[in-house]
Amino acid sequence: MSAPNLKVLEAAESAQTPHVIRELPLLVILPHSRCNCRCVMCDIWRIRQVREITAADLDPHMASLRELKVQWVVFSGGEPLMHSDLSALTRMLRREGIRTTILTAGLWLERQAAHVAEDFDDVIVSLDGPREIHDQVRGVPGAFDRLERGILALRQHRPSMQIHGRCTVQKGNFRYLRGVVGAAHKLGLNSISFLAADLSTEAFNHSQALHYERSANIAPSAGDLDGLKSALEELIDSCEEKSHYIRESREKLRRIASHFCASQGQIQHIAPRCNAPWVSAVIESDGSVRPCFFHPPFGNLRDGTFSEVLNSDPAIRFRGQLDVSRDAICRKCVCSLFLEKESAGLTR
């Protein structure tokens, strides 16, 4: 009798436990709890308690990252550049050959340009409009100019570094979407992406108490929706899809209008195609582990190794019960992450 085929046994085991994660291509880390912007669509700036993930906090979980074959770590926020020693974290990851990306508002980019150029493979900066609109959305006078100086300093240290922009579409900037693209070109960004502002979850320190205030301040009104649709169609008409400078497809850009139309009750919310809870995870500054930005945590790094938390009973139960197409949070989601594990976009 021949020996059992190892690959066949592994396939059989995977079929029996489909919600146990053995490979995790993407990990998002929120290394610092606070932010130095006062954005209208985000409440992280309201946090007063400083929490950080230190190198000592991350070190016990590096074996898990190796075991799970993590390929890409994205540092998001709060504002990662407010961390007391971000380089210590990135050095640990880069020694493992893990790609590192930082999402930043850019207010401290000029002063930390040398470290960012050395520590990260690429950068994503928040860009919410032409100069005046960007400053209004960010709630910081001179924010655009500080971002511009930061990008220039980064280019001086590393001219070939990929620097991308991301715009959160909401009431204060939807009329200026083509202006966002113009500003991205002016700043010398390699691309720009757009997503709708979140209106319904507790992500980004949103609280239920601020829900109605937040919605009134950032959601286009019913009377704004035709203007929003027109602005998106003008954006679509102005871009060459094959150039990929605007990273979203026409379909994804139109989903932004659909999101806000659904928030006004004009149409039904429809969940995007997404497999984020099976290919990624989010670690918050207090050690909480979420399946994505929007669903509640299912554990904390204090409970065990990252692998143990990721495949704990609550985590497996969550993935096993999640129907993205029907789930209330997923249906209102402003993001859409669908990764093939062999995706070329995750290779260095």
Side-chain angles (χ1 to χ4, degrees):
M1 186 174 182
S2 60
N5 186 301
L6 182 59
K7 289 186 177 180
V8 172
L9 290 177
E10 289 177 344
E13 182 183 2
S14 295
Q16 292 172 0
T17 55
H19 300 292
V20 172
I21 294 178
R22 293 178 173 79
E23 293 186 20
L24 191 82
L26 173 62
L27 175 63
V28 179
I29 297 178
L30 315 186
H32 188 84
S33 61
R34 297 190 62 194
C35 186
N36 50 7
C37 284
R38 298 175 67 87
C39 301
V40 296
M41 64 283 188
C42 175
D43 294 323
I44 290 175
W45 59 270
R46 297 177 188 269
I47 296 174
R48 292 292 173 261
Q49 179 184 6
V50 176
R51 298 189 303 263
E52 288 192 338
I53 294 177
T54 66
D57 295 328
L58 184 61
D59 185 63
H61 305 284
M62 291 304 297
S64 289
L65 270 59
R66 253 179 256 120
E67 174 192 338
L68 292 164
K69 299 180 176 62
V70 173
Q71 300 175 45
W72 186 12
V73 169
V74 176
F75 287 93
S76 185
E79 172 52 66
L81 292 180
M82 294 178 70
H83 192 279
S84 60
D85 191 2
L86 194 58
S87 294
L89 301 181
T90 57
R91 284 195 298 268
M92 295 171 67
L93 297 166
R94 289 167 71 83
R95 280 197 296 267
E96 299 292 333
I98 295 173
R99 171 183 169 185
T100 55
T101 297
I102 183 170
L103 275 66
T104 175
L107 297 184
W108 284 12
L109 191 54
E110 181 180 18
R111 72 171 76 174
Q112 298 198 34
H115 291 302
V116 173
E118 182 177 355
D119 294 341
F120 291 95
D121 291 284
D122 55 304
V123 178
I124 301 173
V125 298
S126 298
L127 179 62
D128 293 302
R131 178 178 278 101
E132 291 184 4
I133 302 304
H134 178 81
D135 290 0
Q136 289 174 17
V137 172
R138 292 277 125 187
V140 178
F144 186 95
D145 292 337
R146 291 169 68 177
L147 174 60
E148 185 172 33
R149 292 196 301 270
I151 292 169
L152 178 61
L154 196 52
R155 293 289 189 208
Q156 290 173 341
H157 284 281
R158 191 169 151 197
S160 63
M161 190 170 203
Q162 293 285 303
I163 309 175
H164 307 281
R166 175 171 294 172
C167 175
T168 302
V169 179
Q170 37 89 18
K171 186 174 185 175
N173 67 3
F174 76 83
R175 296 177 178 86
Y176 305 94
L177 301 185
R178 291 183 65 181
V180 172
V181 178
H185 282 295
K186 179 180 184 297
L187 293 170
L189 301 182
N190 295 96
S191 73
I192 183 70
S193 66
F194 295 87
L195 78 163
D198 173 54
L199 301 174
S200 60
T201 74
E202 295 184 358
F204 315 114
N205 198 41
H206 291 160
S207 68
Q208 195 62 39
L210 292 169
H211 173 71
Y212 295 107
E213 174 189 343
R214 183 171 74 248
S215 296
N217 287 338
I218 68 176
S221 67
D224 289 330
L225 293 177
D226 285 343
L228 171 63
K229 293 175 187 176
S230 295
L232 285 165
E233 290 304 320
E234 288 176 6
L235 181 65
I236 289 168
D237 291 342
S238 70
C239 71
E240 295 181 13
E241 193 170 24
K242 291 182 180 179
S243 75
H244 299 296
Y245 189 77
I246 297 176
R247 297 181 73 89
E248 282 75 29
S249 65
R250 289 173 168 83
E251 178 186 10
K252 284 193 174 184
L253 289 173
R254 290 183 175 121
R255 273 190 60 85
I256 294 173
S258 298
H259 167 74
F260 289 117
C261 287
S263 74
Q264 293 291 344
Q266 294 187 1
I267 60 174
Q268 294 292 316
H269 285 284
I270 300 176
R273 185 185 187 216
C274 177
N275 64 353
W278 292 270
V279 298
S280 67
V282 176
I283 298 176
E284 296 189 310
S285 58
D286 65 352
S288 296
V289 180
R290 292 176 179 261
C292 67
F293 279 105
F294 305 103
H295 280 282
F298 46 57
N300 191 288
L301 295 183
R302 295 190 298 268
D303 301 333
T305 67
F306 177 60
S307 293
E308 290 169 344
V309 175
L310 191 67
N311 286 313
S312 63
D313 288 342
I316 293 173
R317 185 163 54 249
F318 167 81
R319 291 190 291 270
Q321 295 174 350
L322 181 62
D323 181 344
V324 171
S325 66
R326 294 173 180 266
D327 183 83
I329 291 176
C330 293
R331 289 179 64 193
K332 296 181 180 180
C333 187
V334 299
C335 188
S336 61
L337 175 68
F338 193 90
L339 293 180
E340 302 291 349
K341 289 186 180 179
E342 296 79 14
S343 170
L346 294 182
T347 59
R348 296 191 57 178

